[in-house]
Amino acid sequence: MVIPCHDYARYLPEAVSSILAQTFQDWELLVVDDGSTDNTVEVARSLIARHPDRRIRLVQRPNGGVSAARNTGIEAATGRYVLPLDADDVIAPTMLEKTVAVLDDSPGIAIASTDVFTFTEDDLPPQTMSLPAYSRELMLQRLIMFYCSLYRREVWRTVGGYDESMRAGEDWDFWVGCVEHGFDAHHIHEPLFGARNKDTGLHVEAAENDLAIRARIVANHPSLFKPITHGWAQAVLSQAAEVCLRDERVPDDILTRAAEMDHFLTAVMALQRTARVQHYHIQRLNKELAAHRHAAGSPVQEKGPTTSAV
């Protein structure tokens, strides 16, 4: 497993804790400090010192972005399978057990993906997101797999790793590279990957640069798309990009802006923002009510005796 970390020291312990809680224990973890300016190195070293019985290593490199950090970590890893995990996300306790079983039991499968649950730092229930069964054709139309999927090491070598020139959308570009080289995948319909919803981060950057990312993917994998799509991509990436980016029309063999996943993620983020506002509003009202009762001299009910189940 590889965790790139750039200035996310505050989230790193939670990500590592989710790995330590795995039911499948035969793993190694490489934390890649991507030129952080916070205390990522100190936090990583502390986690390593606290778990000397686990194979956790720290790799340091100058800041180069998530793709470069992932590639650095995978290059240094020794395992036959790879699971990328960002420092602000988590995995469910059975993530490794169930994805490893897929690859162990099916030599023809190169990638094992799962459904996802999104969570926030508030006391709100996570939102589950179901994804479709894997299809090579569907992958060329829309992103149907999250970056945190288990795959065989030879997949990374054959594809050539993550494109280090892409600041966002590098995961979809990588999966399209897998399609290009004939690798097959299996989707587990169970939310085993947890994506933190911060209303910021690479997924926001990807949404804001939607068409440019799609055009870049077409340019990176020309054999998979129609000539008309190549022309569209070249126009987007040329001096005429601003005009193209204002045009909602997209060739029919590349993901459109109306894709179900884009809509779902947008809806989930909006719902969670609304829920947070309501949550804080209810908390404020409860505090005001408690203060009003206290000022009015309302008696406080005494709690009855409790028993321990420990």
Side-chain angles (χ1 to χ4, degrees):
M1 282 175 289
V2 174
I3 298 182
C5 189
H6 176 71
D7 289 348
Y8 271 178
R10 61 193 182 280
Y11 299 126
L12 186 58
E14 191 173 355
V16 173
S17 292
S18 75
I19 296 171
L20 293 167
Q22 291 299 296
T23 55
F24 180 89
Q25 288 287 299
D26 186 15
W27 50 261
E28 66 170 346
L29 170 61
L30 285 89
V31 177
V32 182
D33 170 45
D34 187 34
S36 296
T37 58
D38 64 0
N39 61 331
T40 288
V41 171
E42 291 75 11
V43 170
R45 286 174 176 165
S46 174
L47 291 167
I48 292 170
R50 270 187 274 159
H51 303 282
D53 57 325
R54 306 307 306 173
R55 288 179 293 171
I56 306 176
R57 288 188 282 152
L58 171 65
V59 178
Q60 295 179 257
R61 54 157 293 130
N63 178 245
V66 65
S67 293
R70 280 188 195 144
N71 287 337
T72 296
I74 296 168
E75 183 67 42
T78 60
R80 57 197 176 104
Y81 300 152
V82 175
L83 183 74
L85 178 65
D86 288 352
D88 56 334
D89 294 333
V90 299
I91 53 177
T94 57
M95 171 68 156
L96 288 180
E97 177 186 347
K98 294 185 176 182
T99 53
V100 166
V102 169
L103 300 190
D104 280 350
D105 296 342
S106 305
I109 299 295
I111 310 159
S113 63
T114 77
D115 287 343
V116 64
F117 61 92
T118 60
F119 66 99
T120 68
E121 298 176 30
D122 307 315
D123 297 328
L124 298 172
Q127 304 287 325
T128 298
M129 179 178 179
S130 299
L131 299 173
Y134 180 77
S135 161
R136 296 179 184 183
E137 293 74 20
L138 205 55
M139 181 60 78
L140 298 181
Q141 297 172 10
R142 59 180 182 268
L143 183 59
I144 58 172
M145 205 158 60
F146 276 87
Y147 79 89
C148 185
S149 300
L150 188 76
Y151 56 85
R152 301 182 190 277
R153 185 180 180 85
E154 56 262 33
V155 169
W156 177 78
R157 286 198 296 261
T158 302
V159 172
Y162 295 91
D163 187 335
E164 298 185 7
S165 66
M166 296 185 71
R167 285 183 48 84
E170 80 296 328
D171 54 337
W172 188 25
D173 179 74
F174 183 80
W175 299 137
V176 171
C178 292
V179 172
E180 190 173 27
H181 288 88
F183 290 115
D184 203 3
H186 174 77
H187 185 75
I188 300 173
H189 294 283
E190 190 174 345
L192 303 178
F193 163 57
R196 187 186 300 271
N197 183 355
K198 309 187 306 300
D199 300 337
T200 59
L202 291 178
H203 65 282
V204 175
E205 184 171 345
E208 292 174 348
N209 296 278
D210 180 63
L211 293 185
I213 289 172
R214 300 164 202 265
R216 182 66 180 279
I217 291 172
V218 172
N220 285 352
H221 310 278
S223 66
L224 297 175
F225 300 97
K226 300 174 185 177
I228 189 173
T229 310
H230 300 165
W232 168 83
Q234 291 171 5
V236 170
L237 299 173
S238 72
Q239 296 299 318
E242 290 187 7
V243 175
C244 294
L245 291 174
R246 291 196 297 270
D247 190 344
E248 295 293 328
R249 294 170 297 176
V250 183
D252 60 4
D253 60 341
I254 191 72
L255 175 60
T256 67
R257 303 189 78 157
E260 292 92 332
M261 189 175 203
D262 289 341
H263 276 312
F264 190 98
L265 284 173
T266 300
V268 167
M269 291 172 67
L271 285 172
Q272 290 191 341
R273 282 194 293 267
T274 300
R276 282 201 298 276
V277 171
Q278 293 175 341
H279 177 71
Y280 295 140
H281 183 61
I282 291 172
Q283 282 187 325
R284 181 177 60 79
L285 289 177
N286 284 337
K287 288 180 180 179
E288 290 177 357
L289 180 60
H292 177 74
R293 286 176 175 172
H294 180 75
S298 299
V300 178
Q301 294 182 352
E302 295 184 359
K303 295 182 179 180
T306 59
T307 58
S308 174
V310 178

